[in-house]
Amino acid sequence: MRWESWPHGEAFLKEWEQLLSHKRIPAAMLWVGPEGVGKTPLAWTLAQALLCPKGDLAYACGTCGDCQVVAKLEHPFFWLLPPTGGGKPLEEALPLFRQALSQDPFLSLSEWEKLLLGGRGSLSIGVEEVRHLQGFLTLASTQAVWRVVLFWHAELLTRQAANALLKIVEEPPERTLFLFLATRVEALPATLRSRCQIKKFPPLSAQVLEKLAGTSLSVAQLSLAQGSYSRLRRVMDPAQAPYIEALRAWLRALLQPAGDTDWLPLIETLAQAPQLSDLLLMGVSLIREHPHLSLPQKNLGIDTFLRVADEIEAHLNPLLLLAEATVTLRQYWQKK
Ligand SMILES: [Zn+2]
């Protein structure tokens, strides 16, 4: 796995080499940034660099036995903690997670949720998983090798799990790196955050997105993607096209004088979108850039969209939520 293959890779490598040269490798790092900016493939590349016995902790050889098992996410000292749910224990979820991530290092949380739970239930990293981790960490490592523990979407750590972790991170075993990847920094308790070196990953530039997509992108595509490669792929997915079109048409309908457009078929289409909460987040960028809305109107629209997206994540009835949002927004957006 090569640093330069991933967004932010070369910049991160420079910072990492700095830490190495000062022998200041932190015991825990918290990487924060939106989904789809490359945190996961970078963490994976870093794990390989640390676990390769022939490397220098910055570059892996890429060919030895250890490198090969890290590349398959099967290295015993690369401990993966993705969120699970639906009563599925980690052991059951892991083979699926390894497979999904190997096929797509930019796997999104909603894709993972769909894969693991089929859209039923919700995901978290629970205290049971942390107890398993404790067992793994107390196993004496016979060689002077590194261990890497990756919390994928650490914002989904339960309070209890985060508390159980505190003690471990406070007194970390030697040569162990805890990597917490999260989309929101404040979702982790301050006590845990304060033990981590925090690094922020900004959204990707248009140039980087075009390089990843291997094609030039329209202004509309870039604006919907909001600097996230995972979101860009959904924007470009032909299966999503009718839903994106329904979203645009619904927004237009909301802005027209009452009675002109029949919005019910539009929200019926939208309610069937497989990734509706993501779609609403795309809607947020459309509202933000809308030329005819005032700032307070934009803010109310954005708040409404974000709230509905959250409630859909909580499995409330999407059609009902969209109908309520329609009433609220029509009232407010048509006020002059
Ligand atoms: Zn190697």
Side-chain angles (χ1 to χ4, degrees):
M1 310 197 56
R2 300 158 63 92
W3 293 104
E4 60 272 25
S5 312
W6 314 114
H8 302 302
E10 281 158 300
F12 176 77
L13 175 62
K14 272 196 197 126
E15 289 173 31
W16 182 251
E17 285 180 320
Q18 280 283 322
L19 292 173
L20 285 176
S21 69
H22 294 100
K23 299 200 173 7
R24 283 210 321 253
I25 303 184
M29 293 177 102
L30 167 57
W31 292 0
V32 187
E35 260 197 311
V37 298
K39 299 187 297 297
T40 308
L42 274 194
W44 195 348
T45 308
L46 180 58
Q48 200 181 43
L50 285 171
L51 293 168
C52 172
K54 297 183 175 172
D56 59 359
L57 304 184
Y59 285 96
C61 79
T63 51
C64 72
D66 286 280
C67 280
Q68 286 175 29
V69 279
V70 174
K72 287 192 257 171
L73 296 165
E74 281 169 1
H75 199 291
F77 289 169
F78 186 19
W79 193 262
L80 300 168
L81 284 151
T84 60
K88 295 197 179 167
L90 186 63
E91 311 84 85
E92 202 181 309
L94 269 182
L96 194 62
F97 185 66
R98 289 195 186 101
Q99 191 192 9
L101 215 53
S102 299
Q103 281 169 2
D104 178 10
F106 288 89
L107 178 75
S108 73
L109 185 65
S110 57
E111 284 164 339
W112 169 237
E113 185 183 19
K114 205 169 154 199
L115 214 57
L116 184 71
L117 306 175
R120 287 178 299 275
S122 58
L123 295 172
S124 64
I125 305 176
V127 71
E128 269 313 301
E129 280 73 53
V130 174
R131 292 203 182 112
H132 277 298
L133 171 68
Q134 256 159 338
F136 161 70
L137 292 172
T138 46
L139 281 178
S141 116
T142 49
Q143 304 140 327
V145 289
W146 276 83
R147 285 184 282 207
V148 180
V149 181
L150 179 74
F151 292 86
W152 195 71
H153 284 277
E155 71 275 9
L156 296 177
L157 274 163
T158 63
R159 182 63 50 161
Q160 212 187 355
N163 286 339
L165 257 175
L166 251 186
K167 223 180 143 41
I168 305 179
V169 179
E170 258 168 15
E171 290 161 31
E174 250 186 283
R175 289 175 182 264
T176 303
L177 175 67
F178 297 94
L179 270 178
F180 297 91
L181 311 190
T183 51
R184 283 171 299 139
V185 66
E186 69 283 1
L188 266 78
T191 42
L192 188 56
R193 256 185 280 158
S194 66
R195 304 283 183 278
C196 298
Q197 187 187 86
I198 299 179
K199 176 165 172 52
K200 291 198 173 145
F201 288 81
L204 303 178
S205 67
Q207 201 186 1
V208 172
L209 285 174
E210 290 189 329
K211 194 174 150 209
L212 285 168
T215 175
S216 61
L217 300 166
S218 69
V219 176
Q221 284 172 323
L222 288 168
S223 134
L224 287 170
Q226 293 283 290
S228 156
Y229 181 54
S230 343
R231 198 176 292 172
L232 175 69
R233 283 188 318 193
R234 291 198 283 280
V235 172
M236 295 176 76
D237 178 3
Q240 277 280 70
Y243 303 113
I244 294 179
E245 196 29 61
L247 174 73
R248 288 173 178 281
W250 181 48
L251 277 169
R252 279 196 301 273
L254 288 171
L255 286 155
Q256 272 165 15
D260 280 8
T261 316
D262 186 6
W263 45 263
L264 192 59
L266 295 173
I267 64 169
E268 277 171 349
T269 305
L270 274 179
Q272 286 160 20
Q275 318 263 357
L276 179 54
S277 54
D278 285 342
L279 202 63
L280 290 166
L281 296 181
M282 288 183 197
V284 167
S285 43
L286 294 176
I287 296 171
R288 200 172 276 141
E289 286 157 25
H290 200 281
H292 302 309
L293 288 171
S294 68
L295 192 60
Q297 285 176 320
K298 282 184 186 181
N299 288 340
L300 183 108
I302 291 169
D303 285 352
T304 307
F305 269 53
L306 292 178
R307 181 175 45 78
V308 174
D310 270 354
E311 286 169 347
I312 282 164
E313 288 290 306
H315 307 287
L316 299 181
N317 182 328
L319 192 58
L320 202 62
L321 292 168
L322 291 169
E324 279 169 9
T326 303
V327 175
T328 311
L329 290 173
R330 287 200 72 138
Q331 264 177 5
Y332 200 78
W333 281 358
Q334 288 174 18
K335 256 188 221 159
K336 288 284 170 228

